Amino acid sequence: MELVILVVEPEEALRERLRGVLREQGHRVWAFSRPSGAMDALADNQVEPDIAFLTAREDPEMDRLLDRLRQAAARCQRIWITPPDDASADRFAAARRPRGLLSRSEVETEARMIADRVCRTRERARAMAGAPRMLGDSPAMREVRDLIERVATSGAETVLVTGESGTGKDVTARRLHAIGARAHGPFVEVDCASIPANLLESERFGHEPGAFTDARTAKIG
């Protein structure tokens, strides 16, 4: 998943290293030395960043950039980097109460982890939005939804769903597909009851020449 990431960092070497590691992950990175440059670029290109890595410093320009991000990119995760003068970090934290400050010495590693976490969160939210709804909020239904989610994200290759007619086997199968790792591929439904047993066996498992009448060549299932 490609993210749009904003970096505002005055130190060129650190800024370029951060840009490089994030681009290696496949993300679009907009890097600037000052908040004013970031604001101009955002206005000109109508870009809404998914993550913003910002150097923590008391600066009216930075405050204006924060206001811009809150208004135009409400989903943007704002991550602070300790300033070159670490002594100002405490004052910044006291004034703005950030969730945390990334150390300059470990910012590249931390930035990769944050980008990965945001990707997983967005992908899961998108999968959940596309999954069929399961009605009901009873303890039993909540348990079923939790079980489906655990199975879908477990990496299991085969899942057997059983139940009487009308209990939601089809919905369960579609939800497993939408939440799981194969969500990017098609959901193929096969009505086994309407296909002759021999033909179904051949299509599913394949056959060798001479296995039955007219089986002249091998077929891979």
Side-chain angles (χ1 to χ4, degrees):
M1 181 179 189
E2 181 189 72
L3 300 176
V4 177
I5 300 178
L6 177 67
V7 177
V8 179
E9 162 56 47
E11 184 183 313
E12 182 178 5
L14 179 59
R15 186 173 67 246
E16 291 306 310
R17 290 201 307 272
L18 194 52
R19 188 210 302 259
V21 298
L22 293 170
R23 281 184 171 174
E24 285 178 3
Q25 288 183 299
H27 305 304
R28 293 169 55 197
V29 184
W30 299 65
F32 303 91
S33 60
R34 297 189 59 82
S36 57
M39 285 189 289
D40 291 342
L42 293 176
D44 292 342
N45 295 277
Q46 299 296 309
V47 174
E48 294 186 11
D50 297 293
I51 308 175
F53 291 99
L54 312 169
T55 296
R57 59 173 56 214
E58 298 184 41
D59 182 348
E61 285 188 356
M62 182 63 76
D63 290 334
R64 287 194 291 272
L65 175 59
L66 290 176
D67 289 339
R68 165 72 170 75
L69 291 174
R70 291 190 189 100
Q71 294 171 6
R75 298 179 63 198
C76 177
Q77 300 289 314
R78 297 179 293 277
I79 311 298
W80 300 104
I81 305 170
T82 54
D85 177 13
D86 285 350
S88 65
D90 291 338
R91 294 196 304 272
F92 183 90
R96 292 170 178 80
R97 298 182 181 179
R99 294 182 177 177
L101 295 171
L102 300 186
S103 168
R104 300 180 76 80
S105 62
E106 300 179 359
V107 67
E108 295 156 73
T109 300
E110 295 291 336
R112 287 194 197 98
M113 294 173 60
I114 291 170
D116 283 341
R117 186 165 64 245
V118 171
C119 282
R120 290 195 300 270
T121 301
R122 298 283 171 86
E123 288 172 352
R124 183 176 181 277
R126 185 169 59 185
M128 294 298 289
R133 290 185 61 197
M134 300 189 74
L135 303 179
D137 196 40
S138 67
M141 285 304 301
R142 289 198 296 269
E143 184 178 350
V144 169
R145 282 194 289 267
D146 290 343
L147 177 60
I148 290 172
E149 187 171 341
R150 290 200 304 272
V151 171
T153 57
S154 69
E157 295 186 0
T158 304
V159 181
L160 175 64
V161 182
T162 64
E164 298 179 4
S165 178
T167 55
K169 296 186 296 297
D170 179 71
V171 172
T172 298
R174 291 178 180 276
R175 193 171 178 86
L176 283 166
H177 177 264
I179 300 175
R182 299 181 180 86
H184 62 280
F187 179 86
V188 180
E189 185 173 358
V190 179
D191 185 359
C192 299
S194 65
I195 303 176
N198 291 340
L199 178 57
L200 177 61
E201 182 180 19
S202 173
E203 291 296 321
R204 182 70 178 85
F205 301 107
H207 60 252
E208 294 295 328
F212 53 86
T213 304
D214 293 333
R216 298 184 177 88
T217 60
K219 173 181 172 56
I220 299 176

